[in-house]
Amino acid sequence: MAACRSVVFGGVPALRAVSAAVWRRTCGLGAPAARLYVTQTPGNRIQFKLDEKTAHSSLDLFKKETGVIYRVIGVDPTKVPQNPERFRDWAVVLGDSAVTGGRHYWEVTVRKSQEFRIGVADCGMPREDCIGSSSCSWVFGFMHGDWYSMTGNEVVPISWVGKPERVGLLLDYEGQKPAIVHSIAAEFKSPACPAFALWDGELVTHSGLEVPEKL
């Protein structure tokens, strides 16, 4: 079996920061903080689904709201319910659970998409922004066969990752340090939730997982 790669988020609790790290393992890779649609997840082991109320009109949810698919010709924006949580300009959807501490791990099947961003965002980030372009979101992206990290519209290329079938994400407020190849850091100003954007194919999320050993 070929080795896959994993992508990991970590954090420094004193700074309430998130660090993004890439490491190798075998298979598997301003607005108000409180919103009623977000479920707070205490402790560890976040369990979430994708929140349809946040999904851009070009995105369809499937697999009991754990997967998202991009439609080149999406639903007419006037035909979807208009609410303040929905992303209006970018193909973004958020998870329906938020965290303010602990260690949380989830995975994303990415093999059927060639252009996407995955990471975390402040739950109340502006709905006119895209994750990564906004200063209150932190993501790993994949485009044209290459990986990059991105926050505040600043792009940093990431080498030696390849194209895995699944990507693992660790949101860590306890500051433990796995083997780091690349990292970014930014301050959390409100509860954070899983965040996804894509412009090709589909993504499937897998939450409620134990943090792997050695992380």
Side-chain angles (χ1 to χ4, degrees):
M1 180 180 295
C4 299
R5 309 297 198 269
S6 292
V7 177
V8 179
F9 276 91
V12 182
L15 301 176
R16 290 182 58 78
V18 62
S19 299
V22 183
W23 65 292
R24 296 171 181 245
R25 76 181 179 90
T26 301
C27 247
L29 180 62
R35 286 182 180 268
L36 295 178
Y37 74 93
V38 171
T39 300
Q40 293 286 332
T41 298
N44 300 315
R45 200 168 179 176
I46 186 174
Q47 179 82 46
F48 68 88
K49 292 186 177 182
L50 301 177
D51 190 343
E52 191 281 332
K53 292 190 296 297
T54 69
H56 186 266
S57 59
S58 65
L59 302 178
D60 285 343
L61 305 187
F62 66 103
K63 285 188 177 291
K64 297 183 178 179
E65 299 181 330
T66 64
V68 57
I69 187 167
Y70 176 75
R71 306 292 187 188
V72 176
I73 300 178
V75 177
D76 183 339
T78 65
K79 303 298 184 182
V80 297
Q82 299 300 305
N83 57 69
E85 294 86 9
R86 191 175 304 283
F87 283 84
R88 295 179 284 278
D89 300 327
W90 298 93
V92 174
V93 62
L94 301 181
D96 66 358
S97 295
V99 296
T100 56
R103 307 182 78 230
H104 305 271
Y105 178 80
W106 62 96
E107 295 183 346
V108 186
T109 298
V110 301
R111 67 182 178 87
K112 292 187 177 181
S113 180
Q114 297 300 315
E115 186 175 357
F116 57 85
R117 296 176 188 174
I118 54 177
V120 295
D122 283 350
C123 298
M125 71 169 286
R127 291 330 196 227
E128 296 80 15
D129 293 346
C130 186
I131 58 172
S133 301
S134 165
S135 61
C136 51
S137 56
W138 304 267
V139 302
F140 283 109
F142 186 82
M143 182 174 64
H144 303 316
D146 295 318
W147 284 93
Y148 59 91
S149 66
M150 187 176 185
T151 185
N153 217 30
E154 181 177 349
V155 177
V156 178
I158 301 174
S159 302
W160 307 107
V161 179
K163 181 58 161 65
E165 290 193 0
R166 282 169 74 143
V167 173
L169 294 153
L170 175 67
L171 178 58
D172 182 12
Y173 284 83
E174 297 178 7
Q176 299 186 31
K177 296 181 179 180
I180 292 178
V181 175
H182 176 83
S183 65
I184 58 175
E187 184 180 358
F188 284 147
K189 296 181 180 179
S190 70
C193 59
F196 310 86
L198 74 159
W199 297 273
D200 170 76
E202 65 184 54
L203 303 174
V204 178
T205 65
H206 312 273
S207 64
L209 306 176
E210 295 282 356
V211 177
E213 294 183 8
K214 299 183 181 180
L215 283 188

